Amino acid sequence: MKDRPILIAGGGIGGLAAAIGLAQKGFRSVVLEKSRRLGEIGAGIQLGPNAFHAFDYLGVGDAARKMAVYVDSLRLMDAMSAKEICRISLEKDFRNRFGNPYAVVHRGDLHGVFLKACEEHDLVELRTSHAVNGYEQGAATVTALLECADNVSGSALIGADGLWSSVRKQMIGDGAPRVSGHTTYRSVIPVEDMPEELRWNAATLWAGPKCHIVHYPLSDWKKFNLVVTYHNDAPEPVAGKPVSRDEVRRGFEHIAELPRSMIERGADWKLWVLCDRDPIENWVEGRIALLGDAAHPTLQYMAQGACMALEDAVALAHEMEAHGGVVETALPAYQNRRTLRTARVQIQSRLVGDHIYHPDDGHAALRNAMMSAKTVEQWYDAIEWLYGGTGLDNSVSA
Ligand SMILES: Cc1cc2nc3c(=O)[nH]c(=O)nc-3n(C[C@H](O)[C@H](O)[C@H](O)COP(=O)(O)OP(=O)(O)OC[C@H]3O[C@@H](n4cnc5c(N)ncnc54)[C@H](O)[C@@H]3O)c2cc1C
């Protein structure tokens, strides 16, 4: 079985993490990426300790640690009063409790870590301009059907082809993703363009009625990542559309001057209308399995979509090794390790958006009262299931 490659549709963070995880266990893979070049467009990403557990398992821990910025705290601010609601320390006690740090990275840098590891590994082959349209499977093989007609066969096919996955379309056929109606605008600015009083070494969330702003430093403190979101009931999915600053301003006229001032500093704003899906219990069909956003797309409110894709890669590599490469049993075992944990992230991300990021009036007052009353220990207990978990434990208990 080890002679036939495992096919991976999609060379995003999830697909490349899966390829390198499999390679560490001696499995050959061919990554089929539809774009002309492998890469990630701008902007930052937050990584909980569970991402670092995965980096170590996948053999890229040192490289990943080198390009991360280690923030000191998670800060929750009230965007109406400009006052702090609560702050969770990410320093020594946090690291001791969860065994790894919390960090922020540039997406391109993170993708680059996996790309380099894949390029340098003999067991990974990367093919760009190879869009997977679907698949056919027989008793011993699966064939990825490619847009370029250069079909390729292997022992398994991993659909790591993102939110609009073609592999999922054929396997599950559950139509378009759910449009949340939340519009996110992203910008990365040089650190000197960030208002001086907001240059905090923190991942900061300003929560306001139907809107919020997130910012944190990036790339060795050379840049700041700005992500501002407006719940404007946007009806259609959009990804990466350039927009004017005027358009971004529109959703934030009602919030305090200090957080609003960041919008004036942003440049080259790009727009996403956020989508997710309801959790599903089965994402394996014979020799085919889904991974990352293709399997469990989530809103970004727990900053866990990529972290979950990394954990998937760990679980997949682990089960392929444990089952001696027998795909028919390894893939269901992989799925069993992942469905509950990823479902909790999908559902809880929606709840966090509704009850922490966007409340108004009495709902916001309740949030402030409840969140400011928690001790640091209580915070750590509440996130233990997530940051203390790994791709191998399917942990969902609080
Ligand atoms: C605004 C925002 C902020 C976020 N912040 C965070 C965060 O802080 N922390 C976090 O952990 N996550 C975050 N996420 C989520 C994270 O970005 C995703 O969960 C993660 O990138 C998913 O990785 P993936 O490899 O599964 O999918 P993708 O990154 O979508 O990669 C899919 C790949 O497949 C390719 N592809 C698509 N179709 C085909 C095809 N038919 N054939 C071949 N190739 C194909 C694509 O070109 C792409 O390269 C955020 C998301 C958003 C929108």
Side-chain angles (χ1 to χ4, degrees):
M1 260 323 197
K2 283 197 173 184
D3 294 341
R4 287 202 195 102
I6 294 166
L7 311 176
I8 299 175
I13 289 166
L16 295 189
I20 202 63
L22 290 166
Q24 306 278 354
K25 306 290 188 187
F27 294 100
R28 193 156 67 84
S29 66
V30 178
V31 177
L32 304 162
E33 164 59 46
K34 82 168 178 195
S35 306
R36 290 218 320 266
R37 56 175 290 275
L38 286 153
E40 280 270 337
I41 50 169
I45 200 161
Q46 303 184 51
L47 299 170
N50 56 322
F52 286 88
H53 306 330
F55 292 142
D56 288 335
Y57 187 95
L58 298 168
V60 296
D62 289 346
R65 280 183 179 79
K66 272 191 204 132
M67 47 90 202
V69 171
Y70 298 98
V71 282
D72 299 333
S73 59
L74 300 174
R75 289 181 80 163
L76 175 61
M77 306 291 295
D78 187 320
M80 301 305 283
S81 66
K83 293 204 172 104
E84 184 174 280
I85 302 167
C86 63
R87 192 187 301 203
I88 306 175
S89 168
L90 301 173
E91 295 182 283
K92 203 164 139 239
D93 288 349
F94 178 92
R95 291 182 186 205
N96 288 344
R97 170 87 181 245
F98 299 113
N100 257 313
Y102 192 102
V104 289
V105 296
H106 197 285
R107 263 165 197 276
D109 294 344
L110 176 60
H111 187 268
V113 164
F114 283 108
L115 184 56
K116 183 164 182 289
C118 286
E119 282 171 342
E120 288 174 355
H121 209 297
D122 289 347
L123 292 177
V124 182
E125 187 187 333
L126 303 168
R127 296 187 193 172
T128 52
S129 303
H130 276 61
V132 176
N133 284 342
Y135 56 82
E136 279 170 0
Q137 64 175 320
T141 59
V142 55
T143 301
L145 307 175
L146 298 180
E147 199 167 280
C148 61
D150 202 4
N151 295 346
V152 40
S153 296
S155 62
L157 169 64
I158 307 303
D161 48 348
L163 180 67
W164 295 93
S165 167
S166 300
V167 179
R168 181 180 180 121
K169 189 173 170 195
Q170 179 171 340
M171 183 195 293
I172 315 285
D174 55 350
R178 188 190 73 108
V179 181
S180 67
H182 301 197
T183 299
T184 282
Y185 306 92
R186 287 150 118 180
S187 175
V188 177
I189 60 172
V191 74
E192 52 279 12
D193 288 354
M194 186 71 173
E196 215 168 334
E197 62 272 46
L198 293 175
R199 289 181 205 164
W200 300 334
N201 191 29
T204 306
L205 162 64
W206 297 79
K210 286 197 142 195
C211 73
H212 72 267
I213 296 177
V214 170
H215 56 85
Y216 47 82
L218 276 183
S219 305
D220 213 11
W221 262 87
K222 292 191 181 71
K223 296 171 183 168
F224 257 87
N225 193 50
L226 292 182
V227 185
V228 310
T229 300
Y230 176 29
H231 186 169
N232 58 350
D233 298 314
E236 300 281 336
V238 180
K241 181 180 151 209
V243 288
S244 69
R245 188 182 290 148
D246 269 354
E247 177 172 339
V248 184
R249 273 190 199 117
R250 242 172 264 150
F252 300 87
E253 279 156 4
H254 56 301
I255 66 168
E257 171 58 27
L258 183 59
R260 207 172 58 228
S261 67
M262 279 180 277
I263 291 167
E264 302 310 315
R265 308 300 182 95
D268 301 326
W269 289 101
K270 292 200 176 59
L271 176 163
W272 277 257
V273 174
L274 304 174
C275 296
D276 68 357
R277 289 185 187 272
D278 290 328
I280 51 173
E281 274 192 295
N282 180 42
W283 63 56
V284 170
E285 181 197 326
R287 300 181 166 277
I288 301 115
L290 303 178
L291 180 145
D293 276 7
H296 41 70
T298 181
L299 299 182
Q300 85 249 30
Y301 300 141
M302 291 173 74
Q304 278 290 320
C307 298
M308 287 296 118
L310 296 171
E311 288 192 0
D312 287 350
V314 167
L316 178 68
H318 177 87
E319 293 300 351
M320 284 296 288
E321 182 184 45
H323 290 256
V326 178
V327 169
E328 296 91 325
T329 53
L331 295 185
Y334 149 70
Q335 172 184 270
N336 286 343
R337 282 195 186 271
R338 300 301 299 148
T339 44
L340 292 180
R341 194 164 158 79
T342 53
R344 180 162 180 187
V345 168
Q346 285 173 288
I347 297 299
Q348 195 164 325
S349 294
R350 289 180 188 169
L351 296 175
V352 165
D354 289 344
H355 298 296
I356 298 179
Y357 281 64
H358 291 164
D360 190 10
D361 206 355
H363 193 169
L366 175 65
R367 171 200 64 206
N368 292 0
M370 288 180 73
M371 299 200 67
S372 59
K374 269 197 202 298
T375 64
V376 170
E377 267 315 306
Q378 286 171 327
W379 277 117
Y380 290 175
D381 289 346
I383 49 186
E384 171 76 40
W385 72 273
L386 182 61
Y387 296 157
T390 72
L392 300 182
D393 60 12
N394 214 0
S395 165
V396 283
S397 55

